Amino acid sequence: MFITLEGIEGAGKTTQLQNIIAYLGRRGYECVTTREPGGTAIGAQIRAILLDPGNHALDATAELLLYVADRVQHVRTVIQPHLAAGRVVLCDRFFDATLVYQGYARGVDQGLIRELHRLVCDDLRPDATLLFDLDPAVGLARAWRQVHSGGRTDAETRFEQEKLAFHQRVRAGYLDMARLEPRRYWVIDAGEDARTVARTVETILASLLPATVDP
Ligand code: TMP
């Protein structure tokens, strides 16, 4: 089972990921957590380029290809082998983030993005996607608070530095994707307190995964 977490900056995905690991562990599932960009050692180097706020001159298509390079390495060496071994793979962002950030928000051709995914990532799709939906003004304020308190590195703020309108396009893009694929997407109100969000996520996971794992 391949589950992805998506949402704007500051939506609380990373906090919820910890709850999900604990919840699935209690239920006996062997799960693996990973993220994009940066889910491999080589991807970590690509991540540094992508999120460096000094790289404001990065061309939108070059940006797309760096995300795709990160993903090919990640899909082939991490995600597919774990899925083949029968594990639950939880991934903090995946292909939908590219459609939304590079496609909806930057305006790169979505046909190109989909075609690249088909050509080099075997068109791999998650079984379920949890979308942590939040007003971008609230999310950005949260994200900057994390940076200022040291909870998040300021070496990775290239997207936080984008204007509010960019993040509004990202949110709208995600909601559009959720409308297009209602069977895969679960839209969660990330404006609720973390415990309420965690309970909602557990209810969703309970409906996705059988209650017990076969020995
Ligand atoms: P995060 O790992 O802290 O969520 O940051 C990753 C950033 O990269 C986030 O701002 C979203 C952005 N991103 C894209 O623009 N395209 C992508 O394909 C992915 C995976 C992330």
Side-chain angles (χ1 to χ4, degrees), residues 9 13 47 51 67 71 93 97-98 101-102 152 159:
E9 343 297 310
K13 288 180 287 101
R47 178 180 174 97
L51 304 188
Y67 276 109
R71 183 161 305 126
R93 298 194 187 279
T98 311
Y101 280 81
Q102 281 64 54
R152 190 182 166 93
F159 283 88

Side-chain angles (χ1 to χ4, degrees), residues 8-19:
I8 59 155
E9 343 297 310
K13 288 180 287 101
T14 313
T15 308
Q16 291 303 326
L17 197 51
Q18 300 314 314
N19 293 326

Side-chain angles (χ1 to χ4, degrees), residues 152-169:
R152 190 182 166 93
T153 170
D154 62 0
E156 293 193 342
T157 54
R158 195 166 66 88
F159 283 88
E160 281 77 357
Q161 307 220 355
E162 290 288 346
K163 294 194 167 61
L164 185 59
F166 176 90
H167 295 280
Q168 281 162 341
R169 289 198 293 280

Side-chain angles (χ1 to χ4, degrees), residues 100-146:
V100 167
Y101 280 81
Q102 281 64 54
Y104 282 86
R106 289 248 196 265
V108 177
D109 178 35
Q110 290 186 37
L112 170 66
I113 298 173
R114 289 182 190 277
E115 187 63 5
L116 280 170
H117 192 63
R118 196 180 64 76
L119 287 171
V120 296
C121 291
D122 301 333
D123 214 16
L124 179 66
R125 302 300 170 111
D127 298 297
T129 295
L130 309 181
L131 172 58
F132 294 89
D133 178 55
L134 185 64
D135 177 348
V138 176
L140 276 180
R142 267 195 204 169
W144 279 115
R145 268 201 305 279
Q146 288 162 5

Side-chain angles (χ1 to χ4, degrees), residues 57-210:
L58 186 60
D59 173 83
T61 305
E63 177 182 277
L64 164 67
L65 294 174
L66 286 169
Y67 276 109
V68 174
D70 170 75
R71 183 161 305 126
V72 178
Q73 186 73 17
H74 191 213
V75 165
R76 301 235 168 115
T77 67
V78 176
I79 300 178
Q80 284 176 331
H82 282 303
L83 290 176
R87 300 184 185 109
V88 175
V89 176
L90 299 163
C91 190
D92 190 341
R93 298 194 187 279
F94 189 63
F95 173 59
D96 297 283
T98 311
L99 277 173
V100 167
Y101 280 81
Q102 281 64 54
Y104 282 86
R106 289 248 196 265
V108 177
D109 178 35
Q110 290 186 37
L112 170 66
I113 298 173
R114 289 182 190 277
E115 187 63 5
L116 280 170
H117 192 63
R118 196 180 64 76
L119 287 171
V120 296
C121 291
D122 301 333
D123 214 16
L124 179 66
R125 302 300 170 111
D127 298 297
T129 295
L130 309 181
L131 172 58
F132 294 89
D133 178 55
L134 185 64
D135 177 348
V138 176
L140 276 180
R142 267 195 204 169
W144 279 115
R145 268 201 305 279
Q146 288 162 5
V147 171
H148 293 137
S149 67
R152 190 182 166 93
T153 170
D154 62 0
E156 293 193 342
T157 54
R158 195 166 66 88
F159 283 88
E160 281 77 357
Q161 307 220 355
E162 290 288 346
K163 294 194 167 61
L164 185 59
F166 176 90
H167 295 280
Q168 281 162 341
R169 289 198 293 280
V170 170
R171 183 194 200 188
Y174 274 128
L175 290 174
D176 209 28
M177 302 262 316
R179 271 190 296 273
L180 291 172
E181 287 190 69
R183 291 166 66 89
R184 169 164 73 92
Y185 259 87
W186 299 81
V187 183
I188 297 156
D189 179 358
E192 302 273 15
D193 64 275
R195 285 173 67 95
T196 306
V197 175
R199 273 200 301 274
T200 305
V201 169
E202 288 181 9
T203 307
I204 294 167
L205 292 173
S207 75
L208 287 172
L209 295 158

